[in-house]
Amino acid sequence: MGTECGRERSGCRRTRLHFVIMLLLWNTTSAQIRYSIQEELKIGTIVGNIAKDLGIDRGTLSERNLRIVTGSKQDLFQVNERDGALFVNQRIDREELCGKSSPCHVNIKAVIENPLEMHHVTVEIVDVNDHSPSFPDRECRLDVPESTMTGVRFELEGAHDPDVGLNALRFYKLSANDHFQLETEELSDDMKVPVLVLHKPLDRERHAAHEFVVTAFDGGKPQKSGELNVTITVLDVNDNAPVFNEQKYTVSLLENMPPGTRLITVNATDRDEGLNGEIVYSFGKKIRSKASELFDLDSKTGEVKVKGLVDFEEKQVYEINIQASDKGQVPLSTHCNVFVKVEDVNDNKPEIDVTSLSSSIHENAPPGTVVALMGVTDLDSGVNGQVVCTLAGDLPFDLKPSSEGNFYSLVTKSPLDRESVSQYDITVTAKDLGSPSLSSSKTIRVVISDINDNSPVFSESPYTLYMVENNAPGASMFTVSASDADEGENALVSYSLGQVSAGHSAASFLNINPDNGNIYALKSFDFETLKTFQFQVVAKDSGTPSLSSNVTVNVFILDQNDNAPVILSPVSANGSAEGVEEIPRNVNAGHSVAKVRAFDADIGYNAWLSFSLQHATDASLFSLERYTGQIRTLRSFTETDEAEQRLVIVVKDNGNVSLSATATVSIKAVEPKEAFAASDTKSAVQTEEENNVTFYLIITLSSVSALFLLSIIGLIVMQCSKPPDYSPKYSRDSNYADTSGNGTLCHSIQYRSGDKRYMLVGPRMSIGSAIVPGSHANTLMVPDHRNRTSGEVRSELFCLLVF
């Protein structure tokens, strides 16, 4: 009765198979059981008792539905649902399952319900000596000239034994004879070939043929063997056999390479001349028929090409035996072996099999709730067969892999909200790690059951805005958007501005439309002054009580190429970018003449300057380094060259719309004596100019000091003549002088504290300067402005008067 029920429910069990396995993995209830059996056991042979080894009560097995999952198309084992005994269900051939791999493991899973559990069962298949070594052919005939020297080796066909370990091929024996000895050559771990070695010269007149037997033995108990009958025919002609450059060639080949692809070229040489030295290549008798179907050999050149479709999943290594024979009247030949290692190509897409799916879940389902179970397979090997499953999009779901990696459970990872999304179409993408990667997708629909409400939610959090400087005041910067899953009045969202990053209100330079969230800039931003700031936007619904949420908006001001390069050198006395340089006429090529210096207030590519020569009296005489502005001579001056050369140099930035400036350098070539005299004169003029500058500095400092003292006296007189002023604590004096217009001259600020009045007299401060009354007595606090241009020197003088 139980067997009939099992047959009726077999389809249902397969459908629920992966679901149960993954659920067990999720509950982390598992155990590991190992059994070891020999291959070729009779069907029905007991392997072990799973229920007993797991400690499961046999009385509850019928209710708990114990079953076996193999994960493959072959059900090699089954379990007795009544007593929990694991038995052989099909013929087990270790060589068919694992080939030459050792040890040979079959992994299955035992699944039991109420509660759901999964246990890993590993069955080791032990090899038995059920194969005898066998040669591809029972007979082997070799033609050996009588002139063959002792020590020459003749490679015979190797025997093949599918068994492994001690049961595999171990050694060869040669029957008694007078002329040959037997050696064994290991071409690979599982390939041993017999080699006949001539140790006594042959005499065709005495013995025209030699016959003996080569026997291959394995290491099993009882020992098994196979025989090869060898017949040696002694020839009387041609005394040199072809010799390969290498006895064993190894080459790698990607699977699925097109026919005609060159694989390798073998080469053999023969010291004879004429027909006896001409070599013909052919496949040896040891080549498998499958290899001859896949590969082609050029009989004249020895080039091996791909002829058929090579599939890594079918076979990973091919052995090709190639024979090289000469065209002598009695041909001589030799053999070599080419081992073709097939490399896997990612030519199989992963396959996704959804084994279980919950049609709907509640929106208050806790994180980790299992929604679906799925299995993933890929026929490739290595990294090409390693599969990673991912979810498309930002969804409140996650994939949890099993310990073996080929099963996944789709679970919730965060709270769900039906008002936001009533159902999810979840696309699961399985992607292998091959190169190029292959992938496949499957979409799972999950319906969310409703339980309650939500408040307004912004479409992004935080917002990031990249805004180009010099924007038009009043223009829209961008739009924030918040949605409310509720209906009616509760879904009507209004917007307002919060605080900026410095704690001030954003209303002074920003405005927002309360209905649609459009944000407008009330002023034009300058990157050189303000590079970034952030503020908050509050979204509030119209419900009672209302719900609200806020979001941070990060604004990054982007630089525009709005500053042209400024020439620093050369600069003439009237401020124009012109200069005169004198150099001796006898300077050599590469002499440094002058250097044009410039800077740009922008940043990045907008400030990356390049120098080019727009005009030159003689373009062959001077060179200009593109990025340094260095002017050098290209050659020496000749008698025909003009004494005065004029260079017009253009300095450009690398902005999208390039800005530029020009500088003119006049170069005078003088005789060496005049150059030295000019140099001395220039030094004297420079010394005189430095003395003049020092004199002017002394006069300037004296004038500033006198003006400062006069200002203090005037302010004291004005203050004493005014009645008491009870104006606000801080007030700015409107009487200040700024003749330059750049905010660098003196001005005054007055403020009152108690019965005392304070006045600050000094250079005009920037907006960021601050006076902090009540801290450190009569101290002026001014922030450190570090964005001043390099090399700029500013002298500031402050005076704090107390009345």
Side-chain angles (χ1 to χ4, degrees):
M1 189 67 180
T3 303
E4 294 177 357
C5 180
R7 292 174 179 172
E8 293 175 357
R9 296 185 301 174
S10 59
C12 179
R13 288 176 179 173
R14 290 192 180 95
T15 304
R16 293 160 37 196
L17 176 59
H18 295 301
F19 172 77
V20 173
I21 293 175
M22 294 307 301
L23 191 57
L24 289 173
L25 289 174
W26 182 252
N27 293 331
T28 64
T29 302
S30 63
Q32 183 75 33
I33 305 175
R34 291 183 178 271
Y35 298 108
S36 179
I37 62 170
Q38 292 184 342
E39 63 175 328
E40 304 293 347
L41 291 178
K42 293 182 179 180
I43 296 175
T45 302
I46 301 299
V47 178
N49 193 297
I50 296 177
K52 180 179 178 181
D53 293 338
L54 293 176
I56 301 173
D57 187 5
R58 293 178 55 181
T60 62
L61 289 179
S62 60
E63 298 176 357
R64 300 191 66 180
N65 191 18
L66 176 64
R67 58 194 177 278
I68 291 299
V69 178
T70 62
S72 64
K73 297 181 180 179
Q74 296 180 348
D75 295 329
L76 300 178
F77 303 94
Q78 284 296 337
V79 65
N80 191 320
E81 296 181 356
R82 294 188 298 272
D83 58 5
L86 182 68
F87 61 90
V88 178
N89 189 50
Q90 292 183 8
R91 175 180 173 268
I92 299 177
D93 187 354
R94 194 207 67 81
E95 288 74 23
E96 180 180 347
L97 290 175
C98 302
K100 285 289 187 178
S101 299
S102 180
C104 180
H105 289 158
V106 176
N107 296 314
I108 59 177
K109 300 175 182 66
V111 180
I112 190 169
E113 300 177 354
N114 301 322
L116 292 174
E117 296 178 1
M118 184 186 73
H119 304 278
H120 295 274
V121 180
T122 300
V123 181
E124 180 182 2
I125 310 301
V126 180
D127 183 44
V128 298
N129 194 17
D130 55 345
H131 295 87
S132 298
S134 62
F135 292 89
D137 295 320
R138 299 280 298 176
E139 302 288 336
C140 177
R141 294 182 176 273
L142 297 177
D143 295 331
V144 181
E146 63 176 337
S147 60
T148 302
M149 302 295 293
T150 57
V152 174
R153 300 163 63 87
F154 301 90
E155 183 178 317
L156 303 178
E157 299 170 290
H160 177 68
D161 192 338
D163 294 323
V164 297
L166 294 176
N167 298 326
L169 175 66
R170 306 300 291 175
F171 60 94
Y172 296 92
K173 282 187 178 181
L174 179 66
S175 61
N177 69 92
D178 296 328
H179 293 82
F180 292 89
Q181 293 179 347
L182 184 66
E183 294 182 1
T184 301
E185 181 174 343
E186 293 188 6
L187 299 181
S188 61
D189 293 337
D190 57 349
M191 176 61 69
K192 298 180 178 67
V193 296
V195 179
L196 292 177
V197 181
L198 181 64
H199 75 96
K200 184 178 180 181
L202 300 174
D203 188 354
R204 190 192 63 82
E205 286 70 25
R206 296 182 61 183
H207 297 284
H210 298 270
E211 296 181 355
F212 42 84
V213 177
V214 175
T215 306
F217 295 89
D218 63 18
K221 292 184 180 181
Q223 192 176 58
K224 295 187 178 183
S225 62
E227 294 182 348
L228 173 66
N229 297 317
V230 181
T231 301
I232 304 294
T233 301
V234 183
L235 303 179
D236 197 31
V237 292
N238 205 354
D239 57 350
N240 286 286
V243 177
F244 279 101
N245 293 347
E246 298 182 29
Q247 193 65 30
K248 181 171 68 173
Y249 295 86
T250 302
V251 64
S252 298
L253 175 67
L254 295 176
E255 65 171 331
N256 302 329
M257 294 298 291
T261 301
R262 178 185 176 278
L263 184 60
I264 195 175
T265 299
V266 297
N267 183 50
T269 57
D270 195 312
R271 291 181 296 173
D272 296 324
E273 296 181 350
L275 292 177
N276 292 333
E278 294 184 13
I279 298 176
V280 177
Y281 299 94
S282 62
F283 286 126
K285 295 181 181 179
K286 292 186 291 183
I287 185 172
R288 305 290 192 270
S289 60
K290 183 63 177 177
S292 62
E293 295 175 1
L294 297 178
F295 304 101
D296 194 12
L297 175 65
D298 191 311
S299 60
K300 294 182 179 180
T301 64
E303 184 180 47
V304 182
K305 295 183 178 180
V306 176
K307 183 171 67 174
L309 180 63
V310 180
D311 188 2
F312 175 85
E313 285 72 34
E314 182 177 341
K315 192 172 183 179
Q316 292 78 45
V317 179
Y318 290 92
E319 178 189 358
I320 305 175
N321 182 262
I322 297 178
Q323 175 180 290
S325 303
D326 59 30
K327 293 184 178 180
Q329 185 177 0
V330 180
L332 296 180
S333 64
T334 186
H335 294 78
C336 74
N337 292 279
V338 178
F339 292 91
V340 181
K341 296 182 178 180
V342 182
E343 297 182 355
D344 186 32
V345 173
N346 196 18
D347 55 349
N348 293 282
K349 292 184 177 181
E351 296 180 359
I352 303 174
D353 181 23
V354 179
T355 59
S356 178
L357 174 64
S358 298
S359 58
S360 65
I361 59 174
H362 292 291
E363 63 176 329
N364 65 338
T369 301
V370 178
V371 179
L373 298 174
M374 62 198 74
V376 183
T377 57
D378 193 312
L379 297 179
D380 293 317
S381 64
V383 294
N384 295 331
Q386 297 179 12
V387 181
V388 176
C389 285
T390 57
L391 298 180
D394 186 12
L395 301 175
F397 298 93
D398 197 5
L399 286 174
K400 296 293 184 181
S402 67
S403 59
E404 296 183 354
N406 55 346
F407 290 100
Y408 287 85
S409 60
L410 178 65
V411 299
T412 60
K413 70 175 182 180
S414 60
L416 304 174
D417 187 2
R418 193 209 65 83
E419 287 77 14
S420 298
V421 181
S422 60
Q423 70 179 24
Y424 291 90
D425 289 328
I426 305 171
T427 300
V428 180
T429 301
K431 185 177 182 181
D432 59 34
L433 302 182
S435 179
S437 179
L438 299 180
S439 62
S440 60
S441 300
K442 179 160 289 190
T443 301
I444 300 174
R445 174 163 291 183
V446 178
V447 178
I448 309 301
S449 300
D450 181 42
I451 60 168
N452 214 337
D453 302 329
N454 289 276
S455 57
V457 176
F458 280 95
S459 59
E460 297 181 29
S461 181
Y463 283 93
T464 300
L465 172 63
Y466 296 92
M467 185 176 181
V468 179
E469 64 174 331
N470 302 323
N471 58 295
S476 174
M477 295 170 55
F478 78 118
T479 301
V480 296
S481 176
S483 60
D484 196 308
D486 298 324
E487 296 180 349
E489 293 291 327
N490 295 331
L492 296 177
V493 180
S494 60
Y495 303 89
S496 62
L497 292 175
Q499 297 293 321
V500 295
S501 56
H504 304 292
S505 174
S508 59
F509 57 91
L510 296 175
N511 192 17
I512 188 168
N513 189 319
D515 298 325
N516 56 24
N518 287 338
I519 298 177
Y520 303 90
L522 300 181
K523 73 171 186 177
S524 179
F525 296 104
D526 183 12
F527 174 82
E528 285 73 26
T529 303
L530 179 65
K531 294 180 173 56
T532 181
F533 66 92
Q534 64 176 203
F535 61 93
Q536 289 189 336
V537 177
V538 180
K540 186 177 182 181
D541 61 29
S542 301
T544 304
S546 62
L547 299 177
S548 64
S549 59
N550 53 27
V551 68
T552 299
V553 180
N554 296 307
V555 181
F556 296 91
I557 308 300
L558 302 181
D559 183 38
Q560 271 190 334
N561 193 18
D562 56 350
N563 291 280
V566 177
I567 304 298
L568 298 178
S569 174
V571 177
S572 63
N574 60 2
S576 61
E578 297 180 355
V580 178
E581 297 290 338
E582 293 184 351
I583 60 174
R585 291 187 65 92
N586 61 349
V587 296
N588 297 323
H591 177 73
S592 177
V593 178
K595 186 173 185 179
V596 179
R597 294 180 173 86
F599 83 99
D600 195 309
D602 295 317
I603 65 170
Y605 282 96
N606 296 332
W608 185 13
L609 302 182
S610 59
F611 301 82
S612 62
L613 193 61
Q614 185 182 49
H615 172 75
T617 304
D618 187 349
S620 67
L621 191 54
F622 298 99
S623 67
L624 175 66
E625 294 185 6
R626 182 176 181 182
Y627 296 111
T628 64
Q630 185 73 44
I631 302 174
R632 298 182 184 274
T633 57
L634 285 174
R635 59 178 176 81
S636 301
F637 280 87
T638 63
E639 294 180 357
T640 59
D641 291 332
E642 296 183 10
E644 182 172 351
Q645 301 284 331
R646 184 171 179 269
L647 305 180
V648 179
I649 297 169
V650 178
V651 183
K652 291 184 179 181
D653 57 31
N654 280 268
N656 290 333
V657 179
S658 179
L659 301 178
S660 63
T662 59
T664 302
V665 179
S666 296
I667 302 174
K668 295 182 179 180
V670 299
E671 296 302 327
K673 293 182 179 180
E674 296 178 7
F676 289 128
S679 176
D680 294 338
T681 302
K682 184 182 295 185
S683 176
V685 171
Q686 183 176 0
T687 303
E688 182 178 355
E689 289 178 353
E690 290 177 354
N691 294 333
N692 292 336
V693 170
T694 303
F695 177 72
Y696 293 146
L697 285 175
I698 294 173
I699 295 176
T700 302
L701 290 175
S702 301
S703 301
V704 171
S705 300
L707 290 174
F708 177 67
L709 292 175
L710 291 176
S711 298
I712 292 177
I713 295 172
L715 290 173
I716 294 174
V717 172
M718 292 172 59
Q719 184 65 30
C720 294
S721 62
K722 287 184 180 180
D725 185 7
Y726 297 96
S727 58
K729 184 174 183 180
Y730 301 98
S731 63
R732 180 179 297 274
D733 189 356
S734 60
N735 299 320
Y736 66 93
D738 187 351
T739 59
S740 66
N742 59 7
T744 58
L745 294 184
C746 294
H747 70 291
S748 63
I749 298 176
Q750 300 182 22
Y751 67 93
R752 178 181 298 277
S753 177
D755 57 350
K756 294 184 180 181
R757 297 185 64 195
Y758 299 85
M759 176 177 292
L760 174 67
V761 179
R764 183 179 180 183
M765 295 180 294
S766 64
I767 298 174
S769 301
I771 301 175
V772 184
S775 61
H776 305 288
N778 302 327
T779 304
L780 173 65
M781 306 299 293
V782 181
D784 181 17
H785 298 281
R786 301 185 182 273
N787 57 350
R788 297 179 180 174
T789 304
S790 176
E792 179 183 355
V793 178
R794 177 178 293 178
S795 175
E796 296 184 351
L797 183 61
F798 296 95
C799 177
L800 189 63
L801 304 180
V802 182
F803 300 93

